[in-house]
Structures are given as C-alpha cells and as structure tokens.
Amino acid sequence: MLTLVIFLPLAVAAVLPAVPRRAVPWTWTAAALAEVALVAGMWAVHGTGGGVSFETDARWIPSVRAGYHVGVDGLSLPLLALTAVLFAACAVYSLRQTHRVREFAGLFLFLETVCLGLFAALDLLLFFVFFDLSIVGMYFVILVWGHGDPARSALKFFLYTFLGSLVLLLGFIGLYLGADPHTFDMADLTRTPPLSGSPGLAGLTLLAVGTGLGIKTPVVPFHTWLPPAHTDAPAAGSAILAGVMLKMGAYGLVRIAMPMLPDAWRRYALVFLVVGLVSVLYGALVALAQDNVKRLVAYSSVNHMGYIVLALGAAGYAAGGADARRLAVTGAVTQMVSHGLVTGALFLLCGVLRDRAGSYDIGRFGGVARGAPVFAGLLAVASFAALGLPGLSGFIAEFQIFAGTIGTGAAATAVAGALAVTGILITAALFLRVLHKVVLGPPGELTPLVTDVRRPERAALVPLLALSLLIGVAPRALLDTIEPLSAAVVALVGR
C-alpha cells in the first residue's frame, strides 16, 4: 500500500497528456484527495504503536547493499499526512490556474511522489535520490511559473540546495564506508552505528550530513537562498517549499544524524543548539524589518525551523533528563507539522494578495477587512497560529520545545531556551504589525483591488487552519503517534 501511496501521483502525472485540458485541474485534485484518504487509512492501521509499518524491502543495487526499502513509523507518518494534505490544498487552490495547466499539475504530482518517497525511505541512497529530485522539481516551478526575477531566484535555489545535496552525499558515503558490513540501509546503520570507534571521522561525517541538511532546512548562515525563492515562486510553490520541502532537512537530522552518529551528535550538540538559537532570533528580527509580506513569512520560516534545531540540539547536549529530552524531540516533530500547515496557509494567503493587487507591499494595503472579511479572518487565524497562541498548533509545538529544552537540566540548554523565548515576542510583534497594517489600518492605494477569497481558495485554506486548530485543542492523536519514536531516538542518542 505504501508503494501505491508514493507512486500514485507520478502515475497520474504520466497520463495527464491524454486528459482533456479542462479536466486536468480536477484530475489533479482527485488524485491529491485520494492520497489524503490513503494516508489517513495507513495512519488508522498503524495506530499509536511503535515500530515500522507497511514495510517493503527489495534489492535495488545489490553490489552496494542499497535497496528499495520503505516504511512508516511515528516520525514519517505525520509528515506523510502533512505532505498529502498540503498538496491537496495546493491542487484545490490552483483550480483557476490558466498558465500551462497541464505542465503545472504534472510537475506538482511529480513533486508529491518525490516528497512522499523521501519521508518513507529507509535506505540512504533512496533518500538521496528523492532529495535531489525535489530540487529539480521546485527549480522548474519557480523558473516557469514564478514572478519578479524567477530565473535568478530559481538558479540561486538550485545551486545552493544542489551544493547541499552533494555535501550530504559525501556524508552518506562516510556512513556507508564506516559500516561493517558496508550498507546504505537505515535500519542496519541505526542498529549498529558506523564510525563508533573513530570520533574524528564521525565528526567529519556529521559535519557533512549536518551541512547538507542545514542548507535544506535552512538554518543561519545557509538561509540566503530562501527569501528570494519564496518571494518569486508562485503561491502554491511557496506553500510546498515551506510546508514540505524545508522539513526534509529537519527530518534527516532526526532520522539519520541523531541515531546513526550518536557519539558525534552528543559531542557537537552544542553547535546545533547555538545554530538553532541564532536562527530563531535572526529570523524573527529580520522578518520584523520586512515590508514585503512574502519575504516576512519566508524569514519567519527561518525562525520556526530554528526552534526545531534548537530542540534537537538540546536533546543531544544534556546527559540527564530523559523525559525532557523526549519532550524536546516530540516538540520538534510537532513543530514540523504545525509549521507546514500554518506557513502553507500564510503563503496561499499571500498569493491571494498577489492575485488581486499584484503586490506584496504591506504599506500599500490597509483596512482590507472591510471588503474582504473572510480573507481578513483567515489571515488573523494563520498569524495567531504562527505566533504560538494557545488553542492552535503552534502553541503545542513551542511549549514542548521550550519545556524540553529548559527542563533538560543543563545550564547551556536552559539559557538557550530562555533566550529563544524572546523569539516568540518578536514573532508576535511582526505578525501583529501585519494584521494592523493590512487588515485594520487606514485604506491603502491597493485596498480597493482586494476582493474576498473565492471558493477554491477558501476550500484550500480552511482545512489547513482547521487542522491547526484541531491539533491545538486535541493534540493527543498526533502526540501519541510521535512519542514512541521520540523515546526511541533519545534512547539511541544516549547509547
């Protein structure tokens, strides 16, 4: 069933040339909604237990012990669900797409297969293939359907992230060569960590893996490709880039770096702690200075992804407080899901402004609540979720991150957690500034052009924010799925 889930979008993309042009958006939407149903069924079968479900392990390149090895557990399942939901939202949002619709739908279906495959991969070489293909797919989304200076933004995105993938490949080769016997299988590498007797080589391998994944996340100072890519990408492309593709880096840290290089992770956890803290504060402060609402949301993503790296660093730095470290990892995974839902909605809302008025300039809007009350309400809910208001998913994630980071018992993590709390204050200021100027301020020159959300836009946005509300009010189903995985990761790091 998992293989069907992964490759169904690609199969639909392959038959799109035979589909009448008018039926292409609806075919894409039907395939995306079918993916949501299939992933929901997998979640119901997997339940909240530990271990791997829906596992398939077939030989691919026997000479290097690489295989088509896929499966789902408490880490991959929430991200598979997030991927399916966000791609479905983008399909519905794009029902009115008019420019090269067939190619647009086919490319997004290809990207969906790539993202699902990466989160299900249990083989390093398979993970790398999906990782690289995601870069190619998003490059063409920005280049062909972007605005502003899409050629420059797409090139910068490709060169930065492709360089990261090459560095990541070096790290994977280090893991392969350090294993005895040599293998790319994640389960084997987790069970018997490679390079355990070579701390120097383990540190270099972690540097390569961490750098490659850090560029994709992205964290400071590897974030500079992100704002132009988001600003010039189409709304649906920005939603997928932020909501799904940024999670590939953070997912790789939990799936690969922490359990496969436990000694090196503990030794250099302080570095990840500091990088996470800098990303939290830098991302929030630079976002506060933006007048372009899309760049503002892009920099806020640097801030939110910084919380994840901070929590994972804290989980490896402290020797004691197993419960707190488990809470930090759970919060990090919850933040991946929350950020995907909320930031995906924020970028689609930015797309509404661009579609109506052709601009992202905050200063040229004001008082849009009068003519677009539903848009204003959705923007307010998404903003409050992004700043961590109780009752929404951002609060659940950030509370666990701060409680786990500060509660580990180490002075460094307590100080880092306390300083990171100021990031919430800055984030609140920047989103309240957006609401004040765009929604409640005096009418701007572009305000008359902003009409309310249309049915496809509303159908795409409401489920994302409703899921954020559901997680904020009743998070148990999500947390019960993640916590066995978090406990396993903490135990593996503590070996």
Side-chain angles (χ1 to χ4, degrees):
M1 183 176 181
L2 181 55
T3 297
L4 172 65
V5 169
I6 294 171
F7 290 104
L8 175 61
L10 188 61
V12 175
V15 303
L16 279 184
V19 176
R21 186 179 183 279
R22 288 186 178 182
V24 166
W26 295 103
T27 303
W28 174 21
T29 301
L33 292 175
E35 286 290 296
V36 174
L38 288 170
V39 174
M42 289 173 55
W43 197 323
V45 172
H46 178 83
T48 58
V52 178
S53 301
F54 301 98
E55 189 172 7
T56 300
D57 189 1
R59 289 188 176 185
W60 178 29
I61 310 177
S63 58
V64 295
R65 294 176 63 90
Y68 174 74
H69 190 186
V70 295
V72 298
D73 59 10
L75 173 60
S76 57
L77 195 52
L79 294 174
L80 288 172
L82 171 67
T83 300
V85 168
L86 267 178
F87 272 97
C90 289
V92 174
Y93 182 89
S94 303
L95 283 173
R96 296 171 62 92
Q97 174 78 22
T98 57
H99 177 52
R100 304 183 71 168
V101 178
R102 200 183 307 275
E103 294 87 348
F104 189 76
L107 196 52
F108 270 78
L109 287 165
F110 165 78
L111 272 173
E112 185 168 9
T113 283
V114 168
C115 295
L116 291 168
L118 183 140
F119 292 131
L122 294 176
D123 181 273
L124 288 179
L125 203 55
L126 186 65
F127 179 99
F128 178 79
V129 169
F130 287 127
F131 190 91
D132 246 15
L133 290 176
S134 70
I135 299 171
V136 177
M138 187 53 64
Y139 168 78
F140 284 109
V141 169
I142 299 171
L143 180 66
V144 178
W145 291 273
H147 41 258
D149 190 358
R152 181 180 180 182
S153 298
L155 181 62
K156 189 172 185 178
F157 161 78
F158 185 88
L159 291 178
Y160 259 79
T161 51
F162 187 66
L163 173 63
S165 73
L166 293 178
V167 176
L168 182 65
L169 180 60
L170 291 177
F172 285 177
I173 292 172
L175 290 171
Y176 168 79
L177 294 176
D180 186 18
H182 300 328
T183 182
F184 283 106
D185 189 83
M186 291 187 185
D188 292 340
L189 293 169
T190 300
R191 192 179 305 113
T192 307
L195 303 170
S196 56
S198 304
L201 292 176
L204 289 174
T205 303
L206 179 61
L207 175 64
V209 172
T211 301
L213 296 174
I215 291 173
K216 191 79 167 185
T217 300
V219 294
V220 176
F222 305 123
H223 68 288
T224 54
W225 63 267
L226 182 67
H230 273 313
T231 303
D232 293 342
S238 292
I240 296 303
L241 180 58
V244 178
M245 291 180 62
L246 297 192
K247 309 305 174 295
M248 294 177 177
Y251 171 84
L253 293 177
V254 182
R255 174 69 73 196
I256 298 167
M258 295 178 73
M260 297 182 194
L261 296 164
D263 293 337
W265 185 268
R266 291 195 305 271
R267 193 177 309 115
Y268 298 105
L270 182 61
V271 175
F272 290 91
L273 191 73
V274 172
V275 168
L277 176 61
V278 171
S279 298
V280 166
L281 298 178
Y282 178 86
L285 287 169
V286 177
L288 185 61
Q290 301 303 310
D291 291 322
N292 182 305
V293 67
K294 213 176 184 194
R295 287 182 71 89
L296 181 149
V297 177
Y299 275 110
S300 75
S301 291
V302 176
N303 163 265
H304 285 105
M305 298 306 290
Y307 289 123
I308 296 173
V309 178
L310 175 80
L312 299 179
Y317 182 77
D323 290 341
R325 290 185 289 130
R326 184 171 64 248
L327 189 62
V329 175
T330 301
V333 179
T334 306
Q335 176 76 334
M336 295 183 205
V337 176
S338 173
H339 176 264
L341 294 171
V342 175
T343 305
L346 282 168
F347 276 120
L348 294 181
L349 287 164
C350 291
V352 173
L353 290 178
R354 168 83 186 180
D355 177 71
R356 307 297 195 273
S359 175
Y360 298 121
D361 191 345
I362 297 172
R364 302 178 71 186
F365 296 96
V368 300
R370 297 180 183 88
V374 177
F375 170 84
L378 293 172
L379 180 60
V381 174
S383 298
F384 287 133
L387 62 86
L389 190 75
L392 294 161
S393 58
F395 173 77
I396 299 297
E398 291 171 5
F399 171 78
Q400 292 181 102
I401 288 172
F402 290 128
T405 300
I406 297 173
T408 52
T413 59
V415 171
L419 290 174
V421 170
T422 60
I424 295 181
L425 182 63
I426 303 170
T427 303
L430 68 91
F431 279 110
L432 291 176
R433 171 174 167 262
V434 170
L435 292 177
H436 175 73
K437 288 194 172 184
V438 175
V439 175
L440 302 174
E445 59 179 294
L446 297 180
T447 300
L449 300 177
V450 182
T451 57
D452 219 340
V453 290
R454 304 184 180 107
R455 285 184 180 179
E457 296 162 346
R458 189 180 308 181
L461 288 160
V462 169
L464 298 180
L465 298 178
L467 284 171
S468 177
L469 177 63
L470 178 63
I471 294 171
V473 174
R476 181 171 180 177
L478 176 62
L479 299 183
D480 284 352
T481 302
I482 297 171
E483 283 172 355
L485 180 281
S486 302
V489 169
V490 169
L492 290 170
V493 172
R495 285 178 292 182

